[in-house]
């Protein structure tokens, strides 16, 4: 069975009431923030557009193995296959934490879509880990038109997690702690070398399966992006403690108060000012993050990847191999 997650945008609460009335026929809406509905996406979209032509739908985290449009386990191979005649009613796709725009640019079939990046936040401090940056404040219709027209004068860039940090970037088998690059997975015929069961095919592998362009290709009308590491993670690593500790929370709040926001600290505050206001190592961490000097252990099979800024004892090269 195919299962995919979608985001539904509506112009006002009156419309939302109507949407809820319709969707509640297919599942219990109040059970979960993401209700499960026994309803095909094309059929749902058709009904939504009957409720109001102003509604629009964006498939979410389109590459994750489960619950996504192109997912290796329960997705489709093309947008047409999922939406049929209604494919032209969808004009934006959400790239999810495990893929960044550059990976999506490898599919020419996605050139006409506007790629957005949302946080998929399940708790408040994860809000804004990915974001869409616009030139000016937009109302519902303004936002819709920017996305519909892929208006590069107003949609400036997206903020991205390092895709390797997402839970399904690489291939592998979490129970056996086996992490494989797509190439390593192919050598193993997509079978776990520990338990001989099929591995979970991650986002990078799935993109490579459907891509018709080489790595590094940049389409002409693409919206640029920036990779960020959440400030709490930088502080935690610099201090050598866990992200959820009081010291990290306090320093995070303090820096956001001084400089205005987390994005300000990560993107714009001059390094000199950071050095004058926080520990040397935290300022250095932010500097390294800005330069993209990161050490990466990609996520796989539901296990988050790890992005490090400071060397550990083992050489970095070994960290990409088998675990
Ligand atoms: Zn989801
Ligand atoms: Zn296994």
């Amino acid at each position: 069975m195919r299962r995919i997650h979608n985001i539904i945008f509506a112009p006002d609460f009156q419309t939302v009431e109507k949407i809820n009335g319709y969707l509640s026929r297919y599942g219990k809406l109040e059970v979960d923030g993401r209700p499960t509905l026994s309803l095909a996406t094309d059929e749902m979209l058709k009904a939504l557009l009957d409720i109001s032509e102003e509604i629009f739908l964006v498939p979410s985290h389109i590459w994750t193995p489960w619950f996504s449009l192109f997912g290796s386990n329960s997705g489709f191979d093309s947008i047409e296959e999922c939406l049929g005649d209604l494919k032209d009613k969808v004009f934006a796709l959400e790239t999810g934490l495990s893929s960044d725009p550059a990976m999506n640019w490898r599919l020419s079939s996605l050139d006409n879509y506007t790629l957005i990046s949302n946080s998929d936040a399940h708790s408040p401090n994860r809000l804004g880990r990915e974001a869409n940056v616009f030139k000016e404040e937009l109302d519902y219709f303004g936002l819709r038109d920017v996305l519909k027209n892929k208006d590069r004068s107003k949609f400036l860039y997206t903020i991205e997690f390092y895709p390797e940090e997402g839970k399904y970037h690489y291939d592998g088998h979490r129970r056996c702690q086996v992490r494989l690059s797509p190439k390593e997975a192919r050598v193993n015929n997509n079978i776990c070398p520990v338990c001989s069961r099929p591995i979970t095919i991650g986002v990078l592998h799935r993109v490579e399966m459907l891509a018709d362009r080489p790595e590094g290709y940049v389409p002409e009308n693409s919206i640029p992006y920036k990779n960020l590491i959440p400030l709490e993670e930088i502080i935690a690593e610099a201090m050598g403690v866990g992200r959820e500790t009081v010291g990290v929370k306090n320093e995070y709040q303090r820096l956001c108060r001084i400089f205005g926001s987390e994005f300000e600290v990560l993107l714009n505050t001059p390094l000199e000012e950071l050095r004058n206001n926080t520990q040397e190592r935290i300022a250095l961490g932010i500097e390294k993050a800005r330069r993209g000097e990161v050490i990466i252990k990609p996520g796989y099979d539901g296990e988050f990847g790890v992005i490090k800024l400071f060397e550990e004892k083992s050489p970095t090269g070994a960290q990409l191999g088998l675990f």
Side-chain angles (χ1 to χ4, degrees):
M1 197 196 307
R2 301 303 188 27
R3 297 163 195 268
I4 87 172
H5 284 178
N6 294 300
I7 319 165
I8 300 167
F9 292 77
D12 51 58
F13 286 106
Q14 225 184 334
T15 309
V16 172
E17 295 292 338
K18 287 186 198 160
I19 295 174
N20 287 349
Y22 164 69
L23 293 181
S24 59
R25 290 191 245 150
Y26 299 91
K28 286 211 174 75
L29 299 186
E30 52 301 318
V31 190
D32 189 2
R34 299 164 302 179
T36 304
L37 308 170
S38 311
L39 175 61
T41 295
D42 55 347
E43 188 189 335
M44 176 175 79
L45 181 56
K46 191 171 178 303
L48 293 176
L49 292 171
D50 283 345
I51 291 171
S52 163
E53 279 283 336
E54 317 287 9
I55 294 170
F56 66 95
L57 176 144
V58 177
S60 8
H61 46 70
I62 54 171
W63 292 104
T64 52
W66 285 280
F67 309 114
S68 85
L69 181 63
F70 293 134
S72 59
N73 285 312
S74 55
F76 301 85
D77 285 345
S78 72
I79 293 172
E80 291 77 2
E81 204 188 316
C82 174
L83 291 167
D85 295 344
L86 292 173
K87 78 174 170 57
D88 296 333
K89 299 287 182 187
V90 170
F91 42 81
L93 303 169
E94 200 277 313
T95 56
L97 301 178
S98 298
S99 89
D100 64 13
M103 291 164 65
N104 292 272
W105 294 342
R106 296 183 59 189
L107 280 80
S108 59
S109 57
L110 302 187
D111 284 355
N112 290 330
Y113 295 91
T114 304
L115 302 175
I116 64 170
S117 287
N118 296 10
S119 291
D120 206 347
H122 292 225
S123 48
N125 66 345
R126 303 294 195 261
L127 277 172
R129 59 183 168 179
E130 297 212 317
N132 305 291
V133 181
F134 300 98
K135 187 160 173 254
E136 58 200 33
E137 210 172 308
L138 297 160
D139 66 7
Y140 178 82
F141 300 100
L143 176 72
R144 183 199 57 187
D145 291 345
V146 167
L147 298 183
K148 208 170 187 169
N149 304 323
K150 208 190 232 192
D151 183 348
R152 300 176 76 204
S153 69
K154 291 187 180 152
F155 192 172
L156 302 181
Y157 60 94
T158 60
I159 288 174
E160 305 284 331
F161 229 48
Y162 277 88
E164 297 87 349
E165 201 169 358
K167 287 195 276 192
Y168 293 102
H169 187 73
Y170 258 23
D171 306 332
H173 198 195
R174 174 153 66 154
R175 243 191 338 190
C176 302
Q177 295 190 306
V178 168
R179 171 200 329 252
L180 301 170
S181 70
K183 202 173 152 194
E184 289 167 327
R186 280 190 293 269
V187 168
N188 285 288
N189 293 318
N190 301 334
I191 295 296
C192 173
V194 175
C195 72
S196 301
R197 291 228 278 270
I199 52 166
T200 299
I201 299 295
V203 168
L204 186 62
H205 194 147
R206 183 72 180 146
V207 167
E208 286 182 359
M209 283 163 70
L210 299 181
D212 58 351
R213 289 172 175 154
E215 216 180 321
Y217 184 92
V218 183
E220 224 168 80
N221 64 343
S222 54
I223 309 281
Y225 71 95
K226 295 180 184 181
N227 289 112
L228 288 193
I229 299 174
L231 182 55
E232 283 182 339
E233 283 178 28
I234 298 177
I235 297 170
E237 195 192 341
M239 292 170 65
V241 295
R243 179 176 172 162
E244 303 297 333
T245 54
V246 179
V248 171
K249 301 266 170 230
N250 287 346
E251 187 59 10
Y252 173 85
Q253 295 292 352
R254 202 179 64 83
L255 289 176
C256 291
R257 253 196 320 274
I258 298 175
F259 297 111
S261 73
E262 175 172 357
F263 288 140
E264 247 340 273
V265 174
L266 292 175
L267 290 166
N268 301 326
T269 306
L271 293 167
E272 196 52 41
E273 271 186 56
L274 286 173
R275 278 192 282 270
N276 291 336
N277 283 284
T278 186
Q279 299 170 25
E280 178 69 36
R281 218 167 125 84
I282 294 174
L284 181 61
I286 294 167
E287 184 181 0
K288 279 169 170 284
R290 282 188 194 170
R291 288 214 219 106
E293 284 173 23
V294 295
I295 303 157
I296 293 170
K297 273 196 243 175
Y300 68 102
D301 196 18
E303 186 77 29
F304 271 112
V306 182
I307 304 290
K308 292 242 163 246
L309 295 156
F310 300 97
E311 297 272 352
E312 285 167 73
K313 276 138 258 155
S314 62
T316 37
Q319 305 203 1
L320 283 170
L322 258 176
F323 273 65

